[in-house]
Amino acid sequence: MKHTTTLTLLLAVVLSGFAQDKKAQKFAKTISADDLKGYLSVLASDSLEGRETGERGQKMAAAYIAGKFKEFGLEPPVETATGNSYFQKYPLQKSTYRTAYLKKGDEKMVNFEDFVYFSRTETKGEEYVNIVYAGDETIESLKEKDLAGKFIAIPQKDMSNWRKVLADLGDIETEGIVLIVEDSSSYDFVKQRFSRYLSGTRLSTKSNDSGTKVIIGNPKLATWMFNTEYDQLEPGTASKDLILNSDLLIEDIEVENVLGFLEGTEKPEEVLVVTAHYDHIGIGSDGQVNNGADDDGSGTSTVIELAQAFSTAAKKGSKPRRSILFMTVSGEEKGLLGSEYYSNNPIFPLENTVTNLNVDMVGRIDPDHEENPNYVYVIGADKLSSELNEISEMVNKQTVNLDLDYTYNDENDPNRYYYRSDHYNFAKKNIPIIFYFNGTHADYHKPTDTIEKIDFKTMEKRALLVYYTAWELANRENRVKLD
């Protein structure tokens, strides 16, 4: 992390009276564990059916959040043909696998058992595919080749950075790609994760669909495809008489982000964005509801509570100098889709978006902090702006004094949480961000992530940190500077 002595001294002067800011303290008192519990009791109830994007429970959650924004007096900022709305609607494609397999003679390899078919593109029945082994060819060199009509098999040591791997593959103009994951534990992890993720329905934006078919397999699959032991494969080796069949049901649906706007007084064109995702993973194949109390009912409840606090302040004559957009997004569990849509179709110009504060899972204590619940993981505060990181630390020190844990901020951390929540779509647009997170736990993405396991007093303290940080960012003289 960068620390500049001059900057630190300057911020110390700017923030020297922050802890004594009576207005900030006055409206901080409206933030309470009871309020948070009240919101979460609705969001994490069985009646909302796990809030899966595109399903009834997600729509019910959106209506509930919009109702709260209206109750608080926030403006609906989305222009529509029938007037302004709290809903930013966006189109998705819903894909459901019926079947996918590879066939050679009488032998068949089946999706989710022998490989993972990671694509939104279906075949026209059984199609012969020509797969060529790329060997040690780089992604960059493959981009330069004429690969029309071909599948390219690319060895991959592991998939620890799977998001980047898949993103890079999208730039290769080819009919399809077979990723051969050499590390067995990495392949098993990817197969388990993707099988669970893809075996139900998959949502995607149409703009994300390159049409490229992607198959993820291991050396055993490669040996079978090429009739050659994997360690003896030569670049240019081609498959023979191999058939791919992928049958999907594809539907067009419409979902929504929920936006509430509070206009600033002196710098209304500059906008602070506070986000959380309100979707979760719905009802499991066993019929159990995944309530998602922590993920991310806790973050969504926090954003609602902050909206209430700042709205109350505005009604009492203490509007912020800058505008604040409170936004709960959908589609996070399906690939950060709602925040991606907003960042590509912003309601307020991104060049005027000063910072994004993103709250994703702040209601629990992870196993590493059972002896000290007075913490929160802070991720990304220093990635684009060392000044933002300094402000974050000083506001915390002068207010709630949580232990700010930067474990997951390490670029080499294998979890790569910086890339895994909605703030990342703002960071990609060069907007400074802070991601607040309590870490994972045994109930992550399980029906046992329920409200009775939430520590509301700790959650209240984390909400106060986000509130005080937002107050400072919305009211300071200058917007934070990029490095």
Side-chain angles (χ1 to χ4, degrees):
M1 288 185 191
K2 300 174 183 176
H3 293 280
T4 306
T5 303
T6 303
L7 178 61
T8 302
L9 292 173
L10 176 61
L11 286 168
V13 172
V14 172
L15 293 171
S16 60
F18 186 75
Q20 288 76 40
D21 187 325
K22 292 183 179 179
K23 289 181 180 179
Q25 290 181 346
K26 176 180 178 180
F27 299 109
K29 293 176 182 177
T30 69
I31 295 172
S32 71
D34 286 343
D35 281 357
L36 293 165
K37 187 174 184 178
Y39 305 139
L40 191 55
S41 295
V42 176
L43 293 167
S45 65
D46 284 350
S47 63
L48 265 62
E49 301 173 349
R51 310 188 306 278
E52 183 168 5
T53 298
E55 302 299 329
R56 183 176 67 166
Q58 176 254 306
K59 305 287 185 181
M60 293 168 67
Y64 173 74
I65 297 163
K68 286 297 175 184
F69 286 171
K70 183 177 181 179
E71 176 187 323
F72 300 153
L74 294 177
E75 297 175 32
V78 184
E79 294 182 4
T80 72
T82 56
N84 277 26
S85 173
Y86 292 105
F87 301 124
Q88 183 189 40
K89 297 185 178 182
Y90 61 99
L92 291 180
Q93 283 191 333
K94 181 178 179 181
S95 305
T96 306
Y97 285 106
R98 291 177 173 141
T99 184
Y101 59 80
L102 287 164
K103 192 166 75 171
K104 185 177 63 176
D106 294 331
E107 298 177 313
K108 186 184 285 188
M109 293 288 184
V110 181
N111 192 27
F112 303 137
E113 293 181 19
D114 305 301
F115 64 90
V116 174
Y117 186 68
F118 190 90
S119 178
R120 308 171 190 90
T121 303
E122 60 181 348
T123 60
K124 297 175 182 177
E126 292 189 341
E127 295 180 350
Y128 280 98
V129 291
N130 177 19
I131 304 177
V132 179
Y133 182 64
D136 58 1
E137 288 255 28
T138 65
I139 299 292
E140 293 304 317
S141 68
L142 289 171
K143 289 178 187 177
E144 304 300 320
K145 293 182 179 292
D146 180 8
L147 303 173
K150 294 180 180 178
F151 275 66
I152 300 298
I154 305 172
Q156 183 73 33
K157 270 192 178 179
D158 62 50
M159 290 287 280
S160 58
N161 191 11
W162 63 269
R163 289 182 189 272
K164 185 176 187 306
V165 171
L166 293 174
D168 288 345
L169 296 180
D171 294 330
I172 302 175
E173 295 184 7
T174 181
E175 180 70 17
I177 292 165
V178 182
L179 269 184
I180 307 300
V181 184
E182 296 175 338
D183 181 80
S184 59
S185 61
S186 182
Y187 171 70
D188 289 343
F189 168 77
V190 166
K191 188 172 80 165
Q192 180 186 34
R193 180 188 182 95
F194 285 11
S195 295
R196 185 174 66 244
Y197 169 47
L198 299 171
S199 58
T201 59
R202 185 181 179 197
L203 300 180
S204 62
T205 57
K206 292 182 180 180
S207 61
N208 273 348
D209 190 357
S210 66
T212 301
K213 303 175 180 74
V214 178
I215 295 168
I216 304 173
N218 60 4
K220 180 181 177 182
L221 180 72
T223 296
W224 178 81
M225 289 190 306
F226 295 108
N227 291 315
T228 304
E229 291 298 323
Y230 180 70
D231 58 5
Q232 296 177 22
L233 278 174
E234 297 288 340
T237 302
S239 64
K240 293 181 181 179
D241 303 323
L242 199 60
I243 288 171
L244 171 65
N245 183 34
S246 171
D247 182 21
L248 290 81
L249 173 64
I250 299 176
E251 307 168 77
D252 290 326
I253 65 171
E254 188 175 62
V255 297
E256 45 276 305
N257 298 323
V258 189
L259 287 66
F261 183 66
L262 178 62
E263 187 175 31
T265 53
E266 298 176 29
K267 302 173 185 285
E269 74 286 351
E270 294 185 5
V271 182
L272 169 68
V273 181
V274 184
T275 55
H277 73 90
Y278 71 95
D279 65 314
H280 194 51
I281 61 173
I283 300 174
S285 58
D286 57 1
Q288 293 192 73
V289 177
N290 293 281
N291 299 105
D294 191 29
D295 183 19
D296 184 29
S298 63
T300 302
S301 298
T302 298
V303 171
I304 295 172
E305 183 72 336
L306 265 61
Q308 177 272 140
F310 277 95
S311 297
T312 301
K315 290 173 185 176
K316 299 289 187 180
S318 296
K319 293 183 76 172
R321 298 172 74 183
R322 288 179 181 82
S323 298
I324 305 178
L325 177 64
F326 300 94
M327 179 166 63
T328 61
V329 297
S330 57
E332 193 272 355
E333 299 289 2
K334 304 296 184 179
L336 314 185
L337 301 179
S339 56
E340 178 187 49
Y341 185 83
Y342 179 87
S343 69
N344 290 329
N345 303 273
I347 302 301
F348 302 97
L350 293 183
E351 60 267 25
N352 293 341
T353 301
V354 299
T355 308
N356 169 229
L357 303 180
N358 184 45
V359 194
D360 191 349
M361 298 175 60
V362 289
R364 295 280 294 268
I365 311 300
D366 75 354
D368 292 336
H369 294 84
E370 289 175 352
E371 303 301 318
N372 175 28
N374 191 56
Y375 80 99
V376 69
Y377 290 104
V378 173
I379 302 170
D382 67 339
K383 300 293 187 188
L384 296 171
S385 171
S386 54
E387 182 179 27
L388 177 60
N389 186 65
E390 295 279 359
I391 291 169
S392 170
E393 290 186 346
M394 288 191 177
V395 167
N396 175 63
K397 197 171 293 183
Q398 295 187 17
T399 57
V400 294
N401 202 29
L402 288 166
D403 288 338
L404 304 185
D405 192 326
Y406 295 103
T407 299
Y408 297 129
N409 195 53
D410 186 344
E411 187 63 31
N412 296 316
D413 179 72
N415 295 286
R416 298 181 67 78
Y417 288 124
Y418 177 66
Y419 304 93
R420 290 173 54 183
S421 190
D422 293 294
H423 60 275
Y424 185 57
N425 282 315
F426 289 91
K428 285 196 298 186
K429 302 289 187 178
N430 221 29
I431 295 168
I433 66 92
I434 303 177
F435 171 25
Y436 302 93
F437 179 51
N438 57 215
T440 57
H441 41 72
D443 301 307
Y444 175 70
H445 277 201
K446 293 180 180 177
T448 48
D449 180 9
T450 48
I451 191 169
E452 65 270 12
K453 296 178 181 177
I454 298 295
D455 183 333
F456 284 102
K457 290 308 293 183
T458 298
M459 185 174 161
E460 175 190 298
K461 208 166 184 182
R462 291 166 179 162
L464 283 167
L465 174 59
V466 186
Y467 162 81
Y468 279 120
T469 304
W471 186 283
E472 170 62 21
L473 293 172
N475 287 292
R476 67 197 311 269
E477 179 61 31
N478 298 310
R479 60 187 289 177
V480 292
K481 296 181 178 66
L482 292 166
D483 290 339

